[in-house]
Amino acid sequence: MIFVVVFVVVVVVVVVVFVVVVIVAVDVVIVGFDVGTFLFIGVFLWLHGEKRIFWLLAYSFVFSASVALFFSTILPYPMPMLLLQTAY
């Protein structure tokens, strides 16, 4: 019986993660890499149990801005951004 419960929980978690990744992949095309990363980090922090809204927003903002700036300067092609502009 415990095996069935664990199996169902694992399947549900895998499906939720897959759905969130697909939504973010589509979201990046629509709103850009910077905002898409912000939403992705925020959703996963919330799914992992983070309840402090200020911490969730602040961490998502700092991490997504850092990653977006890093990749936009390191990669030799333009990235789809909504708020941060690339050099190309």
Side-chain angles (χ1 to χ4, degrees):
M1 182 67 185
I2 191 77
F3 177 74
V4 174
V5 172
V6 171
F7 180 75
V8 169
V9 168
V10 168
V11 168
V12 167
V13 168
V14 167
V15 168
V16 167
V17 169
F18 179 74
V19 167
V20 170
V21 168
V22 168
I23 289 171
V24 168
V26 171
D27 189 36
V28 166
V29 173
I30 295 171
V31 298
F33 182 74
D34 48 358
V35 176
T37 304
F38 175 80
L39 295 174
F40 180 77
I41 298 297
V43 166
F44 268 99
L45 282 174
W46 180 74
L47 284 175
H48 283 280
E50 182 59 51
K51 301 296 181 209
R52 299 171 292 178
I53 298 298
F54 176 76
W55 175 253
L56 194 139
L57 294 174
Y59 187 85
S60 299
F61 176 75
V62 170
F63 186 82
S64 64
S66 302
V67 168
L69 288 173
F70 174 76
F71 281 121
S72 68
T73 57
I74 223 64
L75 295 176
Y77 56 89
M79 296 185 66
M81 301 275 194
L82 183 67
L83 302 174
L84 302 172
Q85 298 300 318
T86 58
Y88 297 102

